[in-house]
Amino acid sequence: MGKESKKTQFKDAADLLRQFSLHGKRENRLSILLGLLQIAMTILFAFVVADILDNALFQPEKTLPTAQVWLILTLSLLTKAVATYMQNNIANQASIKIRSQLRQFALNHCFTLNIRLFPRFKTAELSNLLSTEINSLRLYFADYSAQKYLAVLMPIAVIIAAATVNWLVPIILALTAPLVPLFMILVGKKAGQASHDNLQQLNRLGNLMSDRLKNLQALQLAGTTEQEADKLFQKSESFRETTMKVLRLAFLSNTILEFFSAISVALVAVYLGLFFLDKYQLGSWSDDLSLSQGVFLLMLAPEFYLPLRRLGTLYHAKADATSVAEHLLTLNKLASQVSSNELNLEQQPLPKIDSLQLDTVQAGAKERPLHTPISITLEMKDRVLLNGPSGSGKTTLLDTLAGLYPLHQGKIKLNEVEHNIYQHPDWQQQIGYMTQTPELLFASIRENLCLGRDFSDETLFQALKDAQIEELISSLPGGLDYIISDQGGYLSGGQAQRIALARVFLHKPRLLLLDEPTANLDEATAQAFMLQLAVYVEQGGILIMTSHRPTDQHFFNKVITMQALGESHE
């Protein structure tokens, strides 16, 4: 499925749903066969019951059903019940299998795209897609996929059965049948648009909630929590209104289907009533129509419309599925726009970093680089200052050197050999990168430091000591097992940054990229931190760092001066 997620192209949302439905093709076929078995048992039951009523009420010599007749009735009912039970189970299995494939499809794209998911997709939006939205497809794959075929095959079976005793009733059924899908489609289009709007409101509400919770401390300091709470309430009300609109349309659809089904059944009943009153002799293959045949036809009429009504009640599931499929198409389109070179699909192993050479390197988007070309050779133990005015592309260059973005132009050589480092796991295992806003996990401090590897408490506290935060961690409840959020919890920005620095020291990368690491530190702590950086470099490593502190300038032995394109050289 991984390869499919990268190569498969879909014409539209319906094509995506159709192709993924193939994963449950066997189950759907079996479900259709079980549906046909049910209608066969229904026809048999109607025939036997009609014959019983005819013998008991209409024939001159009234007879009661024999044991054989009762056995046939019982077997038909039991067979139909078992078939229904098996159909539901098989349909649910198909739905689970297909939704699992869809979720894997979406996850593969997420892993492939990496940070290119953003800002097109937000965290809350992806969470909704992988959980709520894909789960909402249960009815579509479990019931609708098979029912759209049964809505054709089952009425045909009823028409064939009815045609054995009368030719006019099948015509009445066939002529009135299009009314049900016609109005189902008309209402369904409105329901589809309402479902799409409802999904958008859910994503907007999730994004807003995620953003406000992430910045709750800033809102509290600004004293705007009440205003933001009002905005959240307004968004939740918008979501409630769109949800109720979807429900209203669903109820309207059911009402219309019931109305036209009732009218159609009434037409058959009126025809049979007038026939038995000798108002006409039209429709029967013979000159007469027995009570048995009339009851048989009357019992079949509701069964003719039942599959269509079921399909109508499931039409909102199709509308929901189309909305979700369009969301998945956006993800697929985003992945297809990334070339195979950018994805580094055939990645070659990278050597251990001993030297790093930047040859006329420019960072930035495909359309426009941000700065003038940079050429420099870095050896182990080099301390490099990345210098330049705001907007010259320093952070973007660090992102590019971290392998998060492809190069706009130029070459990066490791040990004098050119390599593509974009999203390369071998590269990212050798580097450490700390941005101005450090990324932390919603987990314990220990888990934030270890990142899946095993370290002793002594080693962890040494790394915390190097980052000047050992005393604070020791004072927290639980120490290393204290839980923090992805934004640092109740820790200050500088404290969260120092935990991220401790993580860098702990993993001892060959190349260390730091973006203003001392910006939130006081002078004494910043000096102590720079001393620890000196120890790191002397142990064998390359440091590239941005800093605006004048006292930090003497620390570096090399400087890369950044200059934005369009600026004049002085």
Side-chain angles (χ1 to χ4, degrees):
M1 194 64 201
K3 290 182 180 179
E4 180 184 7
S5 67
K6 294 174 184 176
K7 295 181 178 180
T8 303
Q9 297 298 320
F10 307 100
K11 297 177 182 178
D12 50 27
D15 186 43
L16 185 146
L17 293 172
R18 182 188 61 79
Q19 291 198 39
F20 273 94
S21 294
L22 296 177
H23 291 286
K25 181 168 62 175
R26 184 176 64 86
E27 289 83 355
N28 278 332
R29 286 178 176 175
L30 189 54
S31 181
I32 292 171
L33 289 175
L34 289 170
L36 293 177
L37 178 60
Q38 292 174 51
I39 195 63
M41 292 299 102
T42 299
I43 293 171
L44 176 61
F45 180 81
F47 179 81
V48 175
V49 169
D51 189 60
I52 290 173
L53 291 175
D54 184 59
N55 290 333
L57 301 176
F58 194 69
Q59 296 300 326
E61 296 183 5
K62 299 176 176 57
T63 58
L64 294 176
T66 63
Q68 184 179 5
V69 173
W70 286 118
L71 180 61
I72 294 173
L73 280 178
T74 304
L75 287 176
S76 64
L77 290 175
L78 284 176
T79 303
K80 183 176 180 180
V82 171
T84 303
Y85 176 78
M86 291 178 62
Q87 185 186 35
N88 290 335
N89 280 347
I90 291 170
N92 283 329
Q93 289 174 14
S95 178
I96 291 170
K97 182 191 293 187
I98 297 169
R99 283 182 289 143
S100 176
Q101 292 292 334
L102 273 173
R103 192 170 283 109
Q104 187 63 50
F105 168 81
L107 284 172
N108 285 342
H109 278 332
C110 291
F111 294 144
T112 297
L113 287 166
N114 207 312
I115 62 169
R116 283 183 168 268
L117 277 168
F118 311 101
R120 177 60 187 85
F121 283 87
K122 297 187 182 295
T123 305
E125 191 174 0
L126 283 174
S127 176
N128 285 335
L129 176 62
L130 293 170
S131 55
T132 306
E133 293 183 31
I134 291 180
N135 281 340
S136 70
L137 298 176
R138 186 189 70 81
L139 278 178
Y140 178 83
F141 291 119
D143 297 329
Y144 183 84
S145 295
Q147 191 61 37
K148 65 183 179 182
Y149 296 104
L150 291 174
V152 176
L153 297 175
M154 293 174 78
I156 289 176
V158 171
I159 285 178
I160 293 173
T164 60
V165 297
N166 188 278
W167 59 265
L168 185 57
V169 169
I171 293 176
I172 294 174
L173 296 176
L175 291 177
T176 55
L179 292 175
V180 176
L182 175 62
F183 283 91
M184 178 181 69
I185 292 171
L186 293 176
V187 177
K189 287 184 177 180
K190 288 289 184 180
Q193 183 59 47
S195 178
H196 183 268
D197 295 342
N198 183 247
L199 190 59
Q200 282 189 331
Q201 289 292 340
L202 177 61
N203 285 327
R204 288 170 183 168
L205 179 61
N207 292 335
L208 183 64
M209 177 70 76
S210 174
D211 179 71
R212 296 306 184 263
L213 289 176
K214 189 178 292 184
N215 297 284
L216 184 58
Q217 289 180 330
L219 295 175
Q220 288 173 334
L221 292 173
T224 57
T225 52
E226 290 186 4
Q227 293 91 320
E228 293 301 326
D230 290 339
K231 289 182 181 179
L232 280 172
F233 176 76
Q234 292 170 6
K235 285 291 182 183
S236 65
E237 281 296 294
S238 297
F239 175 64
R240 183 188 64 81
E241 289 172 1
T242 56
T243 302
M244 294 306 298
K245 184 177 180 181
V246 173
L247 291 175
R248 283 197 301 270
L249 287 170
F251 283 123
L252 176 62
S253 175
N254 289 339
T255 303
I256 291 175
L257 292 175
E258 294 290 343
F259 175 73
F260 282 104
S261 298
I263 289 179
S264 302
V265 173
L267 286 176
V268 175
V270 169
Y271 160 74
L272 292 174
L274 293 175
F275 192 100
F276 286 124
L277 290 174
D278 292 328
K279 297 297 181 181
Y280 47 72
Q281 299 293 322
L282 180 66
S284 178
W285 294 112
S286 60
D287 294 336
D288 195 14
L289 188 68
S290 68
L291 176 64
S292 173
Q293 294 173 329
V295 171
F296 178 65
L297 292 172
L298 196 58
M299 290 181 69
L300 287 184
E303 297 298 329
F304 176 84
Y305 298 102
L306 184 60
L308 295 172
R309 287 162 52 197
R310 285 178 179 170
L311 183 65
T313 58
L314 291 170
Y315 203 77
H316 72 279
K318 180 181 182 296
D320 292 343
T322 302
S323 298
V324 176
E326 288 174 353
H327 212 176
L328 287 166
L329 276 178
T330 303
L331 182 63
N332 187 67
K333 183 179 179 181
L334 187 62
S336 66
Q337 291 172 350
V338 182
S339 68
S340 59
N341 290 332
E342 288 179 336
L343 290 177
N344 217 6
L345 297 179
E346 298 180 358
Q347 294 174 326
Q348 300 298 323
L350 295 184
K352 190 176 181 181
I353 302 173
D354 291 319
S355 66
L356 177 66
Q357 183 178 351
L358 308 184
D359 185 1
T360 60
V361 164
Q362 286 182 292
K366 281 184 177 181
E367 300 78 15
R368 184 178 66 87
L370 293 179
H371 56 83
T372 54
I374 295 172
S375 296
I376 190 171
T377 299
L378 307 177
E379 305 290 342
M380 303 306 289
K381 300 186 179 182
D382 274 341
R383 312 172 184 181
V384 184
L385 173 64
L386 202 56
N387 197 14
S390 178
S392 58
K394 298 188 295 297
T395 298
T396 304
L397 178 60
L398 288 177
D399 288 342
T400 303
L401 293 177
L404 302 179
Y405 294 108
L407 279 173
H408 173 83
Q409 179 181 306
K411 301 176 182 178
I412 292 181
K413 296 181 179 179
L414 306 181
N415 310 337
E416 300 183 352
V417 178
E418 182 183 357
H419 288 279
N420 185 356
I421 64 172
Y422 174 58
Q423 291 192 2
H424 202 303
D426 289 352
W427 174 255
Q428 291 170 345
Q429 287 174 6
Q430 297 188 67
I431 70 168
Y433 183 29
M434 197 189 76
T435 63
Q436 294 181 27
T437 305
E439 296 290 339
L440 299 177
L441 306 175
F442 200 122
S444 67
I445 293 175
R446 183 192 305 275
E447 291 171 304
N448 270 281
L449 294 174
C450 294
L451 294 179
R453 296 172 62 185
D454 293 325
F455 295 95
S456 66
D457 286 5
E458 182 181 355
T459 305
L460 294 177
F461 274 110
Q462 182 58 50
L464 292 169
K465 183 178 180 181
D466 293 342
Q468 304 294 307
I469 198 172
E470 176 195 18
E471 293 183 4
L472 174 67
I473 302 304
S474 300
S475 66
L476 292 173
L480 290 170
D481 295 317
Y482 179 76
I483 303 295
I484 60 175
S485 72
D486 53 357
Q487 296 299 309
Y490 291 101
L491 303 177
S492 68
Q495 291 167 343
Q497 192 174 40
R498 275 179 273 176
I499 290 177
L501 286 171
R503 182 168 61 193
V504 168
F505 289 141
L506 182 66
H507 291 267
K508 295 181 173 60
R510 306 279 293 176
L511 171 65
L512 181 55
L513 308 170
L514 299 177
D515 194 0
E516 298 286 352
T518 59
N520 295 320
L521 305 180
D522 58 69
E523 193 63 35
T525 304
Q527 289 180 4
F529 167 70
M530 296 302 289
L531 290 175
Q532 291 301 325
L533 277 184
V535 173
Y536 155 78
V537 173
E538 288 304 316
Q539 290 176 346
I542 301 175
L543 170 68
I544 301 178
M545 171 177 157
T546 64
S547 176
H548 285 96
R549 280 179 178 263
T551 54
D552 292 344
Q553 310 300 313
H554 67 280
F555 175 79
F556 304 96
N557 67 325
K558 292 182 179 179
V559 177
I560 297 176
T561 301
M562 303 284 293
Q563 189 172 37
L565 284 179
E567 292 183 358
S568 60
H569 294 266
E570 295 182 359

